[in-house]
Amino acid sequence: MATVEIQDQLDQLARVLGRGVSIDDTRRRMVAYSKHVGTVDPVRTAGILTRECPPDVGAWQDEHIRGAHGPVRVPANVDLEMTARLAVPLRLSGKLYGHLWVLEGATRLTEAEQSAAATTAAEIAELFDKAEQDRDRRIRRDQAMLDTVLDDKRREPPDFQFVPSRQRAMTVLVIAPVTGTPPHPFVPPLPDAELLGALSALPHQAVLTGIRSGMVTALLPVETMHTKAVQLREATARQITAHRAVAGAAHPVHDGAELRSAERRARYAAEVAAADPTGGDVRTWSDLGALRLLAERAPLFPTDVEELFPEATTLLSSRTGATFATSVEAFLDNGGNIGTTAKHLCVHRATLYYRLERAAALVDVDLSDGAARTALHLGLKAARLAGLLGS
C-alpha cells in the first residue's frame, strides 16, 4: 500500500538522509521505496524487483528486530550481500504495520538522523492506520451492499451500478481456498479473518466484494468477467499462500432475482475447478459444458455416481480401475486423440491402447460409440467431483 502521501514522506526522508529508504509490511514484502539515493545493495535491489524478502534475509533481520519498539540497527551480513541498515517499527497504539528501513552502509546514522527517521516512521504509521480504517469501512459497506443484492432483501442497494438490468448484465464470481477434498473441497473453511486479509488486497474498480459462506464473493459486469476472475483469483492466491485458490464464475444475468442461482452456479464452477486441476484454477459456467447438468445435485457423493453412472463405478471398483479411469478420462478430454493423450500421460501409445481396451471390456462399453463415450466421460467427471478419482 503506497499512497501518494507515504511516497512523499519516503522521498523527503531519503533526501534528508542521503540514503535509500523503504517500507516492508508485516509479511516482509516491500510495499514502498524511495528513489535511489546513496549506496544500494543487492538485497534492496532484489526487494524492489520481486517485492519479496528471501527467507535467509528475513531470518537475519528477525534476529534483531523481533519485538522492537524503537529504531534497531541490523548489522551487515557479507554472506547475504547485505549492508547495515536501520529498522524503525511502524507502530501505532501497539499495532505493528511493518518497518521503515534505511540503508546505512559503513557510515552510521547520527542521532539526529535516527530521530528524523523515527519521526517519519510515526507519521507513516498514522497514514497506515487511517488507510486501514478507510479500508475497513469500505469492506463493511461493500459487504452490506453485496448481501442486500444477493439475498434479495427487496430494497435497492445505494450503488445502482451493481444492479443487473436489461442493459447491464452482471455475473457472480467466487474465490475459495481449497482446504479439503471432493466432495467437500472447501471444508473446513478458512476463518473470515484470513479471508478478510485477502479481501483487503483485491482491486475494487467496478467490483463489489464480500465474504459469503467461507468464500470471497464478487459481483461484477460481464464484460470484465474473465479478466477480473483471473486478477481476483491471483490476488487472493498471493494472500493465502498455504492453499490453492480456485475461482468460479456464473452465467450472465439481467435480473436481480437471478443472482441467487448465479451464486450457486459460481460455487459449483469453483468446486469443479478444485476437483479437476487439469481444467485450470478459474472455471466459468460456460466452461463446464455437460457438467452443468450435474449442478443441481452438487455436491455429488459416491452414491450419486453409482446411481447415475454405474459404468464409472464399475470401472473404478476394479483392481486397476483408477489407472484405467484416469487414462480413459484423459483420452476423452483430448477428443480421442491417442498421440496427445499418450504424451499427456507420459506413456507409450501401445500402453494407452491396452488400457483403453481393458477399460472398455470391464464396463462393456464401445468407445467408438458417441453416446456411450459421452455417458462414460460424464460419469468419470462426476466421480472426480465425488472424490472417487484422484488427481
Side-chain angles (χ1 to χ4, degrees):
M1 181 201 70
T3 65
V4 173
E5 291 175 286
I6 290 175
Q7 189 62 56
D8 287 345
Q9 293 271 19
L10 286 182
D11 288 337
Q12 181 178 348
L13 181 62
R15 286 193 296 271
V16 169
L17 301 180
R19 305 162 192 260
V21 296
S22 62
I23 294 174
D24 286 357
D25 64 15
T26 54
R27 299 174 71 176
R28 301 196 196 124
R29 294 171 304 184
M30 185 180 288
V31 294
Y33 54 89
S34 70
K35 298 175 182 178
H36 294 307
V37 181
T39 302
V40 178
D41 66 8
V43 170
R44 174 179 165 87
T45 301
I48 292 173
L49 293 175
T50 67
R51 301 300 175 102
E52 300 290 341
C53 178
D56 50 357
V57 173
W60 176 251
Q61 293 175 345
D62 282 351
E63 284 184 27
H64 301 87
I65 67 174
R66 187 181 292 112
H69 286 262
V72 176
R73 188 171 190 268
V74 178
N77 188 314
V78 177
D79 293 336
L80 298 176
E81 298 184 282
M82 175 179 170
T83 59
R85 16 176 55 75
L86 185 77
V88 188
L90 302 176
R91 288 187 184 274
L92 185 66
S93 302
K95 182 168 183 177
L96 179 66
Y97 291 98
H99 289 85
L100 172 72
W101 292 92
V102 183
L103 293 183
E104 276 196 315
T107 306
R108 288 178 179 244
L109 294 171
T110 65
E111 289 189 10
E113 290 172 330
Q114 288 192 38
S115 178
T119 298
T120 298
E123 293 171 351
I124 290 176
E126 290 182 0
L127 293 174
F128 267 86
D129 183 69
K130 180 179 181 300
E132 185 174 271
Q133 292 183 37
D134 291 343
R135 182 205 69 195
D136 290 346
R137 281 193 292 269
R138 185 197 69 222
I139 287 175
R140 288 194 297 271
R141 180 204 65 202
D142 285 3
Q143 182 74 58
M145 288 176 59
L146 186 71
D147 289 339
T148 295
V149 174
L150 292 182
D151 290 341
D152 190 22
K153 294 182 178 176
R154 303 194 180 283
R155 66 181 179 84
E156 299 293 356
D159 194 333
F160 290 92
Q161 69 170 314
F162 298 113
V163 179
S165 65
R166 288 186 178 182
Q167 295 75 33
R168 180 177 53 242
M170 307 292 291
T171 190
V172 178
L173 170 74
V174 299
I175 310 159
V178 181
T179 53
T181 58
H184 299 297
F186 310 120
V187 178
L190 283 189
D192 281 0
E194 290 189 48
L195 292 175
L196 278 171
L199 192 64
S200 65
L202 299 183
H204 284 261
Q205 300 85 349
V207 176
L208 184 63
T209 57
I211 298 172
R212 290 172 59 83
S213 301
M215 292 187 178
V216 174
T217 304
L219 185 66
L220 63 157
V222 169
E223 57 268 20
T224 65
M225 179 175 70
H226 187 267
T227 300
K228 285 294 184 184
V230 172
Q231 289 177 348
L232 296 180
R233 192 213 70 82
E234 290 178 349
T236 302
R238 285 194 294 271
Q239 298 297 314
I240 307 173
T241 56
H243 303 279
R244 176 181 169 231
V246 296
H251 57 304
V253 299
H254 292 269
D255 187 336
E258 299 175 2
L259 284 171
R260 291 296 298 278
S261 63
E263 184 180 18
R264 287 194 299 271
R265 290 175 175 179
R267 288 172 173 270
Y268 174 66
E271 287 182 14
V272 174
D276 187 6
T278 61
D281 291 326
V282 178
R283 302 294 289 271
T284 67
W285 180 250
S286 59
D287 290 337
L288 302 184
L291 284 177
R292 295 193 293 260
L293 297 171
L294 303 177
E296 294 304 318
R297 295 189 67 131
L300 287 172
F301 296 95
T303 51
D304 297 315
V305 179
E306 185 175 0
E307 175 188 348
L308 296 172
F309 306 105
E311 302 89 350
T313 302
T314 299
L315 180 57
L316 285 164
S317 63
S318 65
R319 185 172 59 85
T320 52
T323 299
F324 290 162
T326 301
S327 297
V328 173
E329 182 191 30
F331 173 70
L332 297 175
D333 283 347
N334 288 300
N337 187 304
I338 289 290
T340 301
T341 305
K343 185 177 180 180
H344 171 78
L345 295 173
C346 300
V347 299
H348 194 276
R349 293 165 68 104
T351 301
L352 178 58
Y353 275 120
Y354 169 77
R355 291 179 181 177
L356 295 177
E357 289 172 2
R358 290 289 297 125
L362 280 168
V363 296
D364 193 23
V365 166
D366 181 0
L367 291 178
S368 65
D369 179 86
R373 282 168 61 151
T374 299
L376 184 57
H377 198 188
L378 192 57
L380 292 173
K381 292 300 183 185
R384 189 173 286 283
L385 287 170
L388 296 173
L389 189 58
S391 57

